[in-house]
Amino acid sequence: MRARSSFLPAYYRVAEDIKNKIDRGELKPGDMIPSTAQLARQYGVSHMTVRHGLELLAKDGYIESIQGKGSFVASPRMDTLLLEFSENKIFGKNKGFRVQLSELEIIPADAKIAHKLGVKEGNKVLKIRRILSDEKGPVAVDSRFLPYVKGTPLLEKEIAYAAFPDLVARHTELVSVKNVLEVSPCILSKEEAELLEARAGLPALCIEQIIYAAKNRPIGWSKMICRGDRFTLKAVSQP
Amino acid sequence: MRARSSFLPAYYRVAEDIKNKIDRGELKPGDMIPSTAQLARQYGVSHMTVRHGLELLAKDGYIESIQGKGSFVASPRMDTLLLEFSENKIFGKNKGFRVQLSELEIIPADAKIAHKLGVKEGNKVLKIRRILSDEKGPVAVDSRFLPYVKGTPLLEKEIAYAAFPDLVARHTELVSVKNVLEVSPCILSKEEAELLEARAGLPALCIEQIIYAAKNRPIGWSKMICRGDRFTLKAVSQP
DNA sequence: CAGTGGTCTAGACCACCCT
DNA sequence: GGGTGGTCTAGACCACTGG
């Protein structure tokens, strides 16, 4: 019965067709799209196949289906944005990206670290400090804190170049489950300015990450100071 | 044949079951989950129903299915984060949130505005400046620029309280399609400090938004300066 | 009531991977 | 070839909406 007219799945073809109508403005937000039965006839496919296509569109935020009423073109949500935060994506785009391991030691947790990691004050904590640079010089300093677990050797290359969540996952035996990021502005302290070869007082972004395992247990804390003149954060609304 | 044992759909039950196994650690990232045929037998449902459930899990990032090989528990992606950026969500949580319209005028576009909005220098542009406060005082200043379209009246309440994408959509007749946000650090200028009742030099976040219509045409530019001591941006890894 | 989306089946076939 | 995911059907039934 069906034509198998293209190499693409039928449900995909249906979805793409409707998506194009929306993108071209033939269908506007709020408009009702034809019923699944109509679409099934129109495309010569079964009810299920149409629904598969519509679910795809709903997943991508193009339409919204309401039982008993119909399916409607959705207005794109622009208040939930996608933020890609991984060093390789952010800094790696520039040639000459490199990481320098400037500190690696086991220290007793002070009050702040203990609070962030949910451990007792004085507990052993692994501290890693890195300097991230591109061809134009240092861009960011990064301090990472992990609860110390003896007998989990880490290669220096891993420590320097692994993304934080990956490092945490490899160090602890736990599966990381959540990453919470917090961005605030600051100005470079004298020490930071020295490390970043900039003047003290330069505006900078402070990006904190806390990695959680199951049951909201924090297993890693990272604080990154990024030169404001060389770095901005970007986020884009979902497709 | 099937038991209809619960009020929830069968595919949902399958998905939830597997999700729980993952959350409890019975299935670890990289593990293969039983084949669709096995699951179908196990749950007494059809192949299609199982697949529906697995697609749900895949959508939420719990598993990854590979044709010819199997379905595998995915390790949560923690480098793509979700950022909720809407004034009501960010500031509205605090009681006493209010907006003061401090400026509303039609001006000719200078070089910067023209560039951001993709219009010719000198073209008429609607400029809106607002001050956002909570019960403790001013938190942010917001400057919004829209290409001026005559004959599109806006209510003052709308101008003050509408989220930027909504305002843009209402003002132009176009459907907004994309929102690109850029975050950088800055320090308060004398003028900004005055408006925000803070000292000049205080670290602040500069949050720019550009709203696009179809074909990447910018139709709105917003620049928000947020006091760093009263405001931080948060983002969380999906889901 | 008729029309809508949502669920489900039993079986078919395809595409792909591995051995 | 045997196992895996992926697509599709034709028809059934359910849940919900609105006149």
Side-chain angles (χ1 to χ4, degrees), chain B residues 28-43:
Chain B
K28 291 193 186 65
D31 287 357
M32 180 172 170
I33 68 175
S35 74
T36 50
Q38 283 178 53
L39 290 169
R41 283 195 300 276
Q42 179 179 331
Y43 288 96

Side-chain angles (χ1 to χ4, degrees), chain B residues 48 78 88 155 162 224:
Chain B
M48 280 295 285
M78 302 216 279
N88 298 337
L155 299 173
M224 194 175 204

Side-chain angles (χ1 to χ4, degrees), chain A residues 214-231:
Chain A
K215 197 234 122 359
N216 271 343
R217 185 147 72 92
I219 53 174
W221 172 42
S222 157
K223 185 172 171 175
M224 193 175 205
I225 308 289
C226 304
R227 284 178 63 155
D229 57 346
R230 304 276 299 283
F231 177 83

Side-chain angles (χ1 to χ4, degrees), chain B residues 80-202:
Chain B
T80 55
L81 305 158
L82 227 54
L83 172 62
E84 303 246 340
F85 187 73
S86 100
E87 284 157 24
N88 298 337
K89 264 180 195 148
I90 293 173
F91 300 105
K93 62 186 179 187
N94 298 339
K95 291 277 184 192
F97 169 58
R98 66 195 178 81
V99 179
Q100 177 197 339
L101 194 59
S102 81
E103 216 175 288
L104 172 57
E105 51 180 348
I106 295 163
I107 58 170
D110 64 19
K112 175 145 196 175
I113 296 172
H115 175 250
K116 294 280 185 183
L117 288 181
V119 300
K120 281 183 196 140
E121 217 172 314
N123 276 19
K124 284 184 183 170
V125 169
L126 184 62
K127 177 183 177 183
I128 300 166
R129 192 156 73 175
R130 303 144 69 230
I131 298 175
L132 298 90
S133 311
D134 62 16
E135 77 278 2
K136 281 183 274 179
V139 180
V141 221
D142 184 34
S143 300
R144 299 168 159 185
F145 301 92
L146 309 172
Y148 174 67
V149 186
K150 69 177 174 185
T152 45
L154 285 169
L155 299 173
E156 192 159 317
K157 285 233 165 145
E158 276 184 359
I159 293 177
Y161 281 95
F164 189 49
D166 296 341
L167 179 69
V168 171
R170 221 163 301 165
H171 178 251
T172 70
E173 292 290 310
L174 300 163
V175 179
S176 308
V177 154
K178 199 170 63 166
N179 184 1
V180 177
L181 191 139
E182 209 168 314
V183 183
S184 53
C186 65
I187 55 177
L188 292 186
S189 71
K190 220 168 133 184
E191 188 198 2
E192 291 159 354
E194 219 164 278
L195 290 166
L196 294 179
E197 299 172 14
R199 59 164 233 276
L202 186 80

